[in-house]
Amino acid sequence: VFSVSWSPDGKYLASDSCYKNVIIWDINSEEKFKLLKGHSYQVNSVSWSPDGNYLASGSWDSTIIIWDANSGEILKTFNHSFFDVFSVSWSPDGKYLASGSADDTIIIWDAKGGEKLKTLEGHYGYVNSVSWSPDGKYLASCSGGWNVERDIGELFIWDANSGQSLKSLEGH
């Protein structure tokens, strides 16, 4: 298990799996509520939509799947690139999805239509995690330790509207 995400109502927990699945757990019964199958390789990240109706998952198969959290049905599949997707995160308003990948980029997607809206570049290593600010104006991303030439950690803060990097912090 590489990632977990609470449902907004706190009743469920989603987890990913190296067995290509996403599991939704019922916290009260401590049982598997749903087993979501659709990725062809290890799942690295899961994220609930703010309204709790959808789940996003990112995988080593280079895809992001949008699931109906109630039925478990696959609604959309986004192809990030030819590289592993390490992180997915919904914007606070649920209109956008950000994904971080092994190609050192972040993509901001239209969550409903699936179009790539922006590609953010600047990392020197795999983008391991992406996270929206509570107001949705900013996106944070981190990478590090995977690039042989620059074995350092990086943290970027991006203007989500313009796609411009506002800050870049490095450390070990």
Side-chain angles (χ1 to χ4, degrees), residues 64-139:
I64 299 157
I65 293 179
I66 306 297
W67 308 87
D68 180 305
N70 299 308
S71 70
E73 176 186 350
I74 294 173
L75 299 176
K76 291 190 179 16
T77 301
F78 305 165
N79 290 306
H80 188 292
S81 63
F82 295 106
F83 295 91
D84 311 337
V85 176
F86 287 115
S87 183
V88 292
S89 179
W90 289 89
S91 64
D93 62 8
K95 293 180 180 178
Y96 308 103
L97 191 69
S99 61
S101 175
D103 67 356
D104 308 344
T105 68
I106 298 112
I107 293 177
I108 298 177
W109 305 84
D110 176 317
K112 187 175 181 181
E115 295 85 22
K116 291 180 184 180
L117 300 176
K118 291 179 185 59
T119 300
L120 312 181
E121 298 176 330
H123 280 282
Y124 286 104
Y126 298 174
V127 179
N128 299 317
S129 185
V130 292
S131 179
W132 292 86
S133 63
D135 62 7
K137 293 180 181 178
Y138 306 101
L139 188 65

Side-chain angles (χ1 to χ4, degrees), residues 44-60:
N44 295 313
S45 183
V46 292
S47 180
W48 284 90
S49 65
D51 64 8
N53 291 321
Y54 309 101
L55 268 171
S57 58
S59 170
W60 277 13

Side-chain angles (χ1 to χ4, degrees), residues 28-48:
N28 292 324
S29 70
E30 299 179 11
E31 299 287 330
K32 288 181 186 176
F33 179 68
K34 292 212 181 318
L35 179 65
L36 310 180
K37 297 181 178 185
H39 283 289
S40 62
Y41 213 90
Q42 170 180 312
V43 181
N44 295 313
S45 183
V46 292
S47 180
W48 284 90

